[in-house]
């Protein structure tokens, strides 16, 4: 079992935080089609967090790129006021997840016992 900060299991936490923020996007966006899309993205992020929690290394590779893209999308969506802080929080959670995943993937593959 992997231990330490730079593991796919550790990355599940910021991915989960980002998922919850996506699921609650209707708080700042209202009940719109965009908020509905963000809800679906939040469900996908929850599934990713669950898979990372299981230690799926192949999912860590995919998640790394998804988190980078999500960070860019969230930051570019940030408007002003509450919108800015909400989308910046999502961008920061995605950035932290990507950084942890980068560290996990940079290490050599764990040896199976």
């Amino acid at each position: 079992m992997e231990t330490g900060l730079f593991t796919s299991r550790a990355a599940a936490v910021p991915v989960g935080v980002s998922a919850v923020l996506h699921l609650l996007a209707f708080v700042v966006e209202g009940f719109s089609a965009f908020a509905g899309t963000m809800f679906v993205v939040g469900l996908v992020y929850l599934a990713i967090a669950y898979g990372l929690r299981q230690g799926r290394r192949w999912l860590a590779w995919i998640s790394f790129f998804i988190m980078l893209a999500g960070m860019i999308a969230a930051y570019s969506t940030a408007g002003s006021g509450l919108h800015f802080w909400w989308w910046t929080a999502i961008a920061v959670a995605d950035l932290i997840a990507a950084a942890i995943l980068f560290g996990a993937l940079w290490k050599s593959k764990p040896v199976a016992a």
Side-chain angles (χ1 to χ4, degrees):
M1 177 189 292
E2 294 177 299
T3 59
L5 174 63
F6 295 108
T7 64
S8 59
R9 295 173 63 93
V13 174
V15 173
V17 169
S18 183
V20 170
L21 290 170
H22 278 82
L23 291 171
L24 297 175
F26 68 88
V27 171
V28 293
E29 293 295 329
F31 291 99
S32 63
F34 181 72
T37 302
M38 297 312 294
F39 188 83
V40 172
V41 170
L43 292 176
V44 171
Y45 274 32
L46 277 179
I48 289 171
Y50 177 77
L52 290 172
R53 188 80 183 120
Q54 303 304 314
R56 308 266 196 272
R57 189 168 173 85
W58 62 269
L59 184 58
W61 280 102
I62 296 168
S63 302
F64 172 70
F65 293 107
I66 290 173
M67 292 300 110
L68 287 177
M71 176 193 61
I72 293 167
Y75 190 71
S76 67
T77 304
S80 61
L82 182 59
H83 286 84
F84 174 78
W85 293 110
W86 195 273
W87 300 116
T88 300
I90 291 174
V92 168
D94 288 355
L95 175 63
I96 292 169
I100 293 171
L101 288 165
F102 179 80
L105 295 169
W106 189 264
K107 294 187 309 185
S108 61
K109 185 176 178 182
V111 178

